[in-house]
């Protein structure tokens, strides 16, 4: 693909990210490509994703230098401009980033020469009973030890607005949308609707809706299922619910998940990909659903998601399974698959 403008999202707290940024700038200079930093908070505040990418000259490639948190920031920017995103892995438990620091230049060459796969990841967007805003009394508490908050959510101008269907918010989530309690002694009480039908009224620490990508993040920590990032689903997971039914529910991609705050609930925070975006009270609601567009992620080859899952989560074999024999091979087949299996995603050799 033609790369004319590169935007970089750099984890400023890591020296290796700063060093990696120098490599990206050198590559851009050598190939006559414009390169700018974005989302750097130099002015002491933050702008909307659309404003940030516009200020960076509308890059056609966003390069993230850090871990999964940095990648999420870059994904938010890339999604707003339909730009390609490339993640350089400088994190500790990364599922999203791919390129090691030593291969940055080779990866940029591959993107420029079209030697890449473009993976499309599902995104979430939402409607709400009103615009999301963070009250000043909450902002003072949540800002401690963190960077500046994002500005209040804006309303999409290309959608019908108002009435009982609420307002369409100009937001996207790659991982999850979370409704969580603000006070330790006041849980969130909310009615949960899937595909327009009441599932149940929950009282819990948090209620979250995740994408397949986000299934290995907060949802996983709360006991949710691991879902292939290639799948198209919404995963609803309650966190520490005060009820017998504490399981996740996996919904189809066209089945929205609604969360309505009930009368005796405490105030609830709405976080999008870990970023606090608003506070709701009794009677307020949000509806989370699949966005019409997808995030375009640059991949240099097939992604071994399950191998990465085994490695990142330090999965070990059950002692009883290997006590009297040898562990299962990573993949016991060395030859090509027969014709009736050729359409399946399978490893190409015994190494997986």
């Amino acid at each position: 693909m033609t790369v004319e403008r590169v935007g970089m999202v750099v984890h400023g707290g890591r020296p290796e990210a700063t060093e990696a940024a120098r490599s990206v700038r050198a590559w851009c200079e050598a190939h006559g490509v414009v390169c700018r930093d974005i989302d750097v908070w130099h002015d002491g505040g933050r702008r909307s994703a659309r404003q940030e990418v516009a200020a960076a000259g509308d890059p056609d490639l966003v390069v993230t230098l850090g871990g999964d948190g940095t990648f999420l920031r870059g994904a938010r920017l890339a999604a707003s401009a339909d730009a390609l995103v490339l993640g350089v892995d400088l994190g500790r438990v990364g599922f999203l980033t791919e390129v090691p620091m030593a291969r940055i230049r080779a990866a940029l060459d591959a993107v420029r020469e079209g030697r890449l796969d473009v993976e499309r990841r599902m995104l979430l967007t939402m409607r709400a009973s009103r615009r999301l805003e963070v009250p000043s009394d909450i902002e003072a508490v949540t800002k401690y030890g963190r960077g500046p908050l994002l500005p209040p959510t804006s309303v999409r101008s290309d959608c019908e607005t108002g009435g009982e269907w609420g307002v369409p918010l100009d937001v996207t989530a790659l991982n999850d949308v979370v409704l969580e309690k603000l006070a330790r002694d006041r849980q969130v009480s909310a009615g949960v609707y899937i595909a327009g039908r009441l599932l149940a009224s929950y009282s819990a620490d948090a209620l979250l809706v995740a994408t397949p990508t986000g299934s290995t993040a907060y949802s996983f920590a709360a006991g949710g299922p691991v879902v292939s990032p290639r799948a198209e689903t919404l995963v609803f997971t309650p966190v520490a619910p005060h009820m017998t039914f504490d399981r996740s529910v996996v919904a189809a991609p066209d089945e929205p998940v609604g969360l309505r705050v009930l009368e005796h609930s405490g105030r609830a925070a709405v976080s999008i990909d870990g970023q606090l975006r608003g506070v709701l009270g009794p009677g307020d609601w949000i509806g989370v659903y699949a966005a019409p567009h997808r995030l375009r992620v640059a991949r240099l080859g097939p992604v071994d998601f399950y191998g990465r899952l085994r490695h990142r989560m330090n999965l070990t074999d059950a002692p009883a399974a290997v006590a009297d024999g040898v562990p299962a091979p990573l993949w016991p087949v060395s030859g090509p698959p027969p014709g009736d299996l050729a359409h399946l995603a399978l490893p190409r050799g015994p190494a997986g």
Side-chain angles (χ1 to χ4, degrees):
M1 63 170 283
T2 302
V3 179
E4 298 179 348
R5 300 173 302 279
V6 170
M8 288 195 304
V9 181
V10 184
H11 190 304
R14 294 186 179 170
E16 62 270 30
T18 303
E19 181 182 347
R22 285 195 288 267
S23 295
V24 175
R25 292 190 188 96
W27 182 92
C28 289
E29 184 176 356
H31 292 85
V33 174
V34 176
C35 181
R36 293 183 182 175
D37 286 7
I38 49 180
D39 195 27
V40 292
W41 310 343
H42 279 167
D43 58 359
R46 297 183 72 178
R47 295 169 288 192
S48 69
R50 184 64 250 168
Q51 290 171 327
E52 287 173 346
V53 295
D58 285 311
D60 41 45
L61 174 66
V62 174
V63 179
T64 72
L65 306 169
D68 280 0
T70 308
F71 187 90
L72 287 172
R73 284 174 29 208
R76 167 180 161 266
L77 301 168
S80 71
D82 193 29
L84 193 66
V85 60
L86 175 70
V88 177
D89 186 10
L90 303 174
R92 299 179 180 87
V93 193
F95 274 94
L96 301 176
T97 53
E98 177 187 21
V99 179
M101 183 172 173
R103 295 193 59 202
I104 292 176
R105 286 175 175 266
L108 291 170
D109 285 336
V111 173
R112 185 169 180 263
E113 296 164 11
R115 294 183 286 106
L116 78 161
D117 296 326
V118 178
E119 183 180 69
R120 284 171 162 68
R121 292 285 183 104
M122 180 180 177
L123 297 166
L124 299 177
T125 190
M126 57 193 295
R127 279 180 173 257
S129 53
R130 57 180 174 81
R131 285 184 61 183
L132 297 181
E133 296 182 336
V134 180
S136 58
D137 60 328
I138 301 299
E139 182 177 0
V141 175
T142 58
K143 189 174 180 180
Y144 180 78
R146 297 175 180 267
L149 292 175
L150 288 166
T153 53
S154 58
V155 177
R156 290 183 57 185
S157 59
D158 59 342
C159 298
E160 183 179 341
T161 300
E164 59 186 1
W165 292 98
V167 294
L169 301 180
D170 189 15
V171 297
T172 56
L174 176 60
N175 265 1
D176 49 42
V177 175
V178 180
L179 186 70
E180 55 193 330
K181 68 179 184 180
L182 280 172
R184 186 169 180 266
D185 61 342
R186 291 295 301 274
Q187 289 197 308
V188 175
S189 294
V192 177
Y193 300 79
I194 299 182
R197 296 294 185 180
L198 177 65
L199 176 66
S201 295
Y202 285 77
S203 182
D205 283 358
L207 304 167
L208 64 93
V209 183
T211 64
T213 298
S215 71
T216 52
Y218 189 6
S219 179
F220 176 82
V226 174
V227 181
S228 167
R230 298 175 58 192
E232 295 271 311
T233 62
L234 281 74
V235 181
F236 164 72
T237 301
V239 181
H242 277 210
M243 59 191 301
T244 302
F245 186 75
D246 61 354
R247 307 303 176 118
S248 297
V249 176
V250 180
D254 61 349
E255 295 178 331
V257 179
L259 307 174
R260 181 180 293 273
V261 182
L262 299 179
E263 180 181 356
H264 296 294
S265 174
R267 285 199 296 177
V270 178
S271 296
I272 301 174
D273 281 349
Q275 298 280 330
L276 177 64
R277 303 305 305 272
V279 174
L280 301 183
D284 292 330
W285 59 264
I286 57 174
V288 183
Y289 54 99
H293 57 286
R294 298 293 183 265
L295 178 70
R296 298 191 301 125
V297 183
R299 297 298 190 195
L300 305 186
V303 177
D304 181 13
F305 171 74
Y306 300 103
R308 183 173 293 187
L309 178 68
R310 177 181 174 90
H311 173 68
R312 297 294 195 188
M313 296 298 181
N314 292 317
L315 300 184
T316 57
D317 302 314
V322 298
D324 299 321
V326 296
L330 292 179
W331 183 244
V333 180
S334 59
D340 63 313
L341 303 181
H343 65 291
L344 301 179
L346 294 171
R348 297 179 181 177

